[in-house]
Amino acid sequence: MLKYTLIFLLILSAIVSTTLAAVASGISVPWRQIIGGAKTTQQKVTDNLFPAQGYTLQLFAGKVPNARWLAITRAGDVLVSQPRSGQVSLLFADRNGDGRADGQRVLIDDLRRPHGLLLHEGWLYIAESDAVGRVPFDHSDARLAGSYQRIVEGLEDDGHWTKTIDMGPDGWLYLSSGSSCNVCIEKDPRRATIMRLRPDGSDLEIFATGLRNSVGFDWSPRDGGLYATDNGRDWLGDNLPPDELNRIRQGAFYGWPYAYGDRVPDPDFGVDAALAIEEKIATSVPPVHTFAAHNAPLGMQFLRSPKQPADYRNAALVALHGSWNRSVKDGYKVVSLHWNQSGKIEQRDFLWGFLSEDRKAVFGRPVAIAEDTNGNIYISDDYAGAVYRLSSSGAPGVRTASPEETPRKAQDTPPAVDAVAARSGAELYQSNRCGLCHQQQLPLKNLRSKYTLQTLADYFDAPTPPMPNYNFDSAQKRALAHYLMSREVSPQAPTQ
């Protein structure tokens, strides 16, 4: 009892000190995030929130306090982390067609501020504030199939304590860890970084540094690059520094705490700094895109489903959690990022209305984004304790039909199969044991009548269950498509 009393007093002390600092600075704080009590209903969602053209919005679940990260099972159920409760909940897929979760239950609890979630090869990975753990997960009945085991322990969790985890196309787990402070020189080199480790927890290493708080990251289906959001420091006024989107490369340094934005020296640690620090700033990597100061970009998700409207396929959605330290609130929406042919990024509003027009009332704060194989988009809200679902409404001239919906006319001439790529694809097919399903239960036939080489390669971004998403990179998808097409062009091609 004494332990929990001390924890409560520490939390209360932090809240009081934050509140006093806010009042003294004249900033506009979303108070219900601190004191709790915000709720929402379908009527409030309908009245206040507005999705981009071509999408419809529904309240998928409205009683998920402190809903943070999301993961979607092969059966379409949605997992949600709830750090304050120390648990992960399961929201049952909408099988009765009313647009809402068919129910919910606690999947696992007694965790230390669980945040990041990842489903991979029969495991559920959970990034707690001070550790990474995993537990066998049965997708068929959405239940744990074994005991939870921590595979990494001893991570610091003061300051920016959230940890986010995902599987990279290289087969490594990637793990973000924010800074312990607003701006400081870290003692633990793992803070303010993105790290990576093997799926069993071994070989933990630092991948990129100088990232103050990169809560969300994902790999682009367009160029294969790893992109991550990053929250800039506080107390430089309403409009500085910008929040960032960075393209992450191994061994690169992204500026914090010595600089922000495009190598602008930080007033505390970069101005009038030693020569070594000036050189460090000069070689730091600037962001590929900036968000308005204090918008707090958190989760990001590239849209991969072929069922998305054409203009949104391969775009990234980013949840702007919203400011807590500006004199006038800003952010509080989901935006879409669109890359043009030259690589320039255009930002558009995708889901808005979480902030009133006078910028005083807050209705919600979006956190994480997930996409299922049918193209439905789920967004969590830790302020309203909700999960929303957006679906493409199939607006004429906007939506692109998937290969399954619009079978192609059989090609009169065989596709131009690349023999070298096909050999690589055959190796992928064999190493992933694809023949176990596709030889008898789900034989692959008449692919030429349904796909081109490109649309078949694109299919692997969001395969239809029970086929898992193997997170193939562009070269692997192309190789597998060429191999599968080669089997129809040349029946002698290997099938095992």
Side-chain angles (χ1 to χ4, degrees), residues 93-289:
D94 172 28
R95 295 179 176 88
N96 63 13
D98 66 355
R100 298 182 64 92
D102 286 356
Q104 71 183 68
R105 63 177 169 84
V106 175
L107 182 69
I108 184 172
D109 57 9
D110 200 25
L111 302 169
R112 182 176 175 85
R113 291 190 289 189
H115 189 258
L117 302 174
L118 168 67
L119 289 164
H120 180 68
E121 292 187 346
W123 294 97
L124 167 60
Y125 289 86
I126 303 174
E128 300 181 66
S129 64
D130 65 346
V132 175
R134 69 178 185 177
V135 58
F137 182 81
D138 188 337
H139 288 259
S140 65
D141 63 2
R143 294 188 181 276
L144 303 184
S147 300
Y148 179 75
Q149 180 182 16
R150 285 183 161 195
I151 57 174
V152 174
E153 294 189 280
L155 301 175
E156 287 190 358
D157 63 351
D158 53 335
H160 296 112
W161 54 266
T162 63
K163 307 290 190 295
T164 306
I165 192 166
D166 205 350
M167 174 62 69
D170 55 3
W172 289 72
L173 294 175
Y174 285 71
L175 179 71
S176 67
S177 177
S179 66
S180 65
C181 58
N182 175 37
V183 58
C184 64
I185 306 298
E186 296 285 6
K187 295 180 180 179
D188 186 338
R190 299 175 298 181
R191 300 306 298 261
T193 69
I194 290 178
M195 299 172 278
R196 70 175 187 175
L197 60 150
R198 300 290 185 181
D200 63 359
S202 61
D203 299 333
L204 178 68
E205 64 182 27
I206 295 172
F207 189 78
T209 60
L211 298 161
R212 180 177 176 271
N213 191 23
S214 289
V215 179
F217 55 89
D218 194 12
W219 286 263
S220 167
R222 178 179 177 273
D223 59 26
L226 172 58
Y227 291 82
T229 60
D230 196 23
N231 285 234
R233 62 160 294 179
D234 302 321
W235 311 121
L236 292 184
D238 276 4
N239 301 310
L240 285 176
D243 290 331
E244 301 179 355
L245 178 74
N246 293 294
R247 180 166 181 177
I248 307 300
R249 292 182 169 86
Q250 186 171 12
F253 171 68
Y254 291 85
W256 187 88
Y258 306 112
Y260 60 79
D262 192 0
R263 303 188 179 107
V264 178
D266 182 89
D268 290 334
F269 290 98
V271 174
D272 298 325
L275 179 61
I277 300 302
E278 291 181 353
E279 292 176 348
K280 198 170 180 68
I281 293 173
T283 57
S284 65
V285 180
V288 295
H289 178 73

Side-chain angles (χ1 to χ4, degrees), residues 418-436:
D418 182 328
V420 175
R423 284 195 291 272
S424 297
E427 294 174 1
L428 273 175
Y429 187 91
Q430 294 165 13
S431 64
N432 287 285
R433 305 178 72 186
C434 301
L436 291 178

